[in-house]
Amino acid sequence: MQADRAKILRMLKTARGQMDGIVRMVEEDRYCIDISQQLMATEALLGRVNREIMTAHLKHCVNEAATPAEREQKIDELVAILGKILK
């Protein structure tokens, strides 16, 4: 992975902490809207993590592919994952 590993790990650990907080909120029977807002914040953070990883993939893996066939394969992988993300 060519993305900034420390940054990605920090963001994922933050998301994990948010998820732990959401679990506690559900266990404590907290207000639904508050839980929903925390879920949206966590989803947004995970989306940023995914963008960082996909950007690194495009800048490094695709750009540095050794052959045109490898580059085409990397682009096809990227298109496939974007199709899932944009679903």
Side-chain angles (χ1 to χ4, degrees):
M1 180 175 74
Q2 296 295 322
D4 181 344
R5 187 170 183 227
K7 180 178 181 179
I8 295 298
L9 285 172
R10 186 180 70 251
M11 293 169 76
L12 287 172
K13 288 176 182 180
T14 298
R16 180 174 55 194
Q18 289 175 327
M19 287 301 303
D20 290 342
I22 292 166
V23 168
R24 279 191 302 277
M25 292 174 80
V26 171
E27 289 171 345
E28 295 168 0
D29 199 28
R30 298 273 297 275
Y31 188 54
C32 297
I33 298 300
D34 293 341
I35 295 169
S36 182
Q37 287 175 332
Q38 288 304 309
L39 284 167
M40 288 186 293
T42 304
E43 289 173 338
L45 178 56
L46 290 173
R48 288 195 307 273
V49 170
N50 204 17
R51 277 192 300 278
E52 288 285 330
I53 291 171
M54 291 294 98
T55 297
H57 178 73
L58 186 58
K59 287 183 175 180
H60 298 284
C61 298
V62 174
N63 197 37
E64 295 177 6
T67 66
E70 278 185 29
R71 185 173 294 117
E72 187 68 29
Q73 178 190 359
K74 300 290 184 191
I75 290 170
D76 288 345
E77 291 170 347
L78 189 58
V79 167
I81 197 87
L82 286 174
K84 292 176 183 179
I85 291 169
L86 298 173
K87 208 176 201 183

